[in-house]
Amino acid sequence: MTDFLDQVETCVPALRRYARALTRNIDLADDLVQDCLERAISRRALFRPTGPVRAWLFTILLNLYRNSLRSSHRRGQTVDIDTIPEPSTPATQPGHIALAEMARAIETLPLDQKEALLLIALEGLSYSEAATILGIPQGTLMSRLGRARAALRVATGNSAEPHLRTVK
Amino acid sequence: MSAVTRDMLMAYVDGQLDAADRPAVEAHLAANPEVAAEVLLWQRQSNALRALFAPAGSEPVPARLRAHRIAAATGSRRMRSWRWAAAAVVLVGLGLGGGWFARPLLNGAPAASASLIADAVNAHTVFVAENRHAVEVPATDQDHLVTWLSNRLSTPLDTPDLSAEGFTLVGGRLLPGEPNAGGRAAQLMYENAAKDRVTVYVTAALPDRAPAYQFANAGGAEAFYWANARITCTVVGTLPEAQMKTVSQAVYRQMTEGDVTAGPPYRG
């Protein structure tokens, strides 16, 4: 029990980071993490101790986030004004990505691509763990990552570069 | 040498490429500048994402997100719902047969008596430790004490005489109480020559007005509780058990004189 809670506790910073990147709102993100922890702790009996706690927590967090999006689509979304980046001038250097630009670009991604890319690029999870969290085959994960990276490239104004040939 | 795929290039960027494939990927990048530019862009995307959001993972974790704290909170919530379930069991038990309340507290299920006893023991612990402020109205003003507390509890209340047991009245006070027992409670304090103190915690009757008796040991104090159609009463002290029983019986005898099955007389 204490072991379980200690394991959960070590995951909290990563959960907060991931939730912040998903929601772009400090309070919403921490609410999401709190809901996730409450659910995980009250349902710990359902947790198979053989699997990693971290993957289980991320799965719960994502399910809660998707549910909250579904209900907030009816209410209209709220965005913390502080998290909206200042408009920036387009990148002058080819290949350069302004952070503000990236912050806006990540918002334009479809949710399934955003979830996948953040698990890999931000959280540094292995492909197999991310696929487990998302409940998809690894091939599907890879194609989401590919589409997310291509979309970000366009959204950050780097589409002028020659497009990568599809290589088999 | 296998063909370099998009997945291998991503694995290269994500640091998840098999070591065996690394030379092939690096050779491919060296030979294809446009592919190398794309891969560099992916790396910059990842760097930008980390620069944007990684700091959120290094912030101090707020208390509400501490797993141990959440576990403690959900534990007590579970306990509360367990108590409701237990209360339902008690009601069923009452329906099936009387005598349930005669069961000892620690063995039986939580009931209204449990919270009354807990309140009584808490009040005892707080006020027996006081010297100058042990009571609100001293025994020297006994008539006022009796009238006041009787009015506040909307039930006639007399102060038992425990001189035969070696105790004299110190005084009494009014306390907030359980909502289902009138919301107020009176505490009477007695003291013997050895400065041992005993308190008597009285409330108006519970809604069910059912007779009940319990002995309980809570927080190092002995408590004797009973309820009838007029009042609930809990005698609390830290005396040896035999002495507690003698005192409790004296209080019980004096406070149940008359017809206790009837409700309180009408008070204008």
Side-chain angles (χ1 to χ4, degrees):
Chain A
M1 171 64 200
T2 303
D3 276 1
F4 172 81
L5 291 178
D6 288 343
Q7 284 183 64
V8 169
E9 204 136 306
T10 59
C11 296
V12 170
L15 292 168
R16 292 184 79 208
R17 178 173 57 213
Y18 189 63
R20 189 85 59 89
L22 284 177
T23 63
R24 308 276 313 284
N25 177 305
I26 295 175
D27 295 327
L28 283 182
D30 281 353
D31 285 352
L32 195 59
V33 174
Q34 188 176 355
D35 286 352
C36 167
L37 297 176
E38 282 172 359
R39 187 158 300 206
I41 287 165
S42 67
R43 294 185 182 181
R44 60 181 164 261
L46 302 179
F47 175 69
R48 300 185 317 279
T50 49
V53 171
R54 180 170 68 172
W56 189 59
L57 290 171
F58 272 96
T59 304
I60 295 175
L61 185 88
L62 272 172
N63 286 335
L64 289 168
Y65 177 62
R66 292 170 189 159
N67 290 343
S68 75
L69 278 188
R70 239 168 265 142
S71 49
S72 71
H73 275 311
R74 289 192 291 271
R75 286 195 309 269
Q77 295 209 33
T78 55
V79 175
D80 189 337
I81 192 84
D82 294 335
T83 65
I84 299 173
E86 294 293 315
S88 67
T89 52
T92 47
Q93 262 181 299
H96 173 82
I97 301 171
L99 291 187
E101 229 178 345
M102 176 54 97
R104 266 198 311 276
I106 188 86
E107 289 302 287
T108 64
L109 290 183
L111 180 60
D112 60 347
Q113 294 176 22
K114 183 161 82 164
E115 291 170 352
L117 183 65
L118 289 172
L119 284 179
I120 301 301
L122 178 63
E123 296 304 319
L125 299 187
S126 70
Y127 293 146
S128 70
E129 189 173 2
T132 305
I133 289 168
L134 297 170
I136 55 176
Q138 194 165 318
T140 308
L141 174 77
M142 297 311 287
S143 80
R144 284 186 191 175
L145 286 177
R147 279 183 281 132
R149 285 177 159 142
L152 282 186
R153 174 201 169 116
V154 173
T156 53
N158 287 289
S159 55
E161 284 179 42
H163 199 277
L164 177 66
R165 281 195 310 273
T166 309
V167 283
K168 299 284 175 191
Chain B
M1 189 189 286
S2 60
V4 174
T5 64
R6 182 199 58 178
D7 287 3
M8 285 164 72
L9 294 172
M10 285 204 292
Y12 176 76
V13 169
D14 295 328
Q16 302 194 36
L17 185 69
D18 284 345
D21 290 332
R22 197 172 179 88
V25 168
E26 283 173 350
H28 184 75
L29 291 176
N32 298 278
E34 79 282 13
V35 177
E38 177 99 17
V39 164
L40 182 64
L41 187 65
W42 292 347
Q43 280 165 337
R44 286 185 175 145
Q45 290 173 348
S46 294
N47 289 343
L49 284 175
R50 280 194 290 270
L52 277 171
F53 300 115
S58 335
E59 291 172 11
V61 174
R64 68 177 173 128
L65 300 183
R66 308 291 299 193
H68 288 275
R69 183 183 145 140
I70 290 172
T74 48
S76 63
R77 249 203 309 282
R78 188 169 301 172
M79 184 64 85
R80 279 200 293 279
S81 55
W82 178 82
R83 279 189 192 151
W84 281 112
V89 169
V90 169
L91 289 175
V92 171
L94 279 173
L96 291 177
W100 174 270
F101 281 109
R103 295 167 64 97
L105 169 68
L106 297 179
N107 179 23
S113 59
S115 46
L116 286 168
I117 292 171
D119 290 350
V121 172
N122 282 339
H124 175 88
T125 312
V126 169
F127 293 113
V128 293
E130 292 290 331
N131 255 331
R132 287 181 59 187
H133 305 291
V135 295
E136 208 171 354
V137 178
T140 48
D141 210 356
Q142 188 167 355
D143 286 346
H144 168 64
L145 178 68
V146 166
T147 316
W148 177 55
L149 292 180
S150 298
N151 281 334
R152 287 294 175 269
L153 265 52
S154 304
T155 192
L157 179 71
D158 206 351
T159 53
D161 177 4
L162 300 180
S163 50
E165 288 72 33
F167 283 84
T168 54
L169 182 69
V170 181
R173 67 168 63 239
L174 186 69
L175 294 166
E178 291 293 314
N180 60 357
R184 293 186 176 94
Q187 185 192 49
L188 302 173
M189 189 180 294
Y190 292 83
E191 192 176 69
N192 67 7
K195 300 283 179 195
D196 293 324
R197 284 172 167 181
V198 169
T199 59
V200 179
Y201 184 91
V202 185
T203 73
L206 289 166
D208 64 3
R209 298 175 178 277
Y213 310 90
Q214 277 182 12
F215 280 102
N217 184 304
E222 299 281 337
F224 173 59
Y225 164 91
W226 78 88
N228 59 33
R230 278 186 195 158
I231 59 167
T232 82
C233 180
T234 311
V235 183
V236 188
T238 48
L239 304 171
E241 197 178 334
Q243 202 182 349
M244 269 311 292
K245 279 197 170 140
T246 315
V247 171
S248 302
Q249 279 159 6
V251 175
Y252 176 73
R253 229 176 13 252
Q254 293 180 50
M255 294 192 82
T256 51
E257 280 169 353
D259 181 12
V260 296
T261 57
Y266 176 73
R267 300 181 66 89

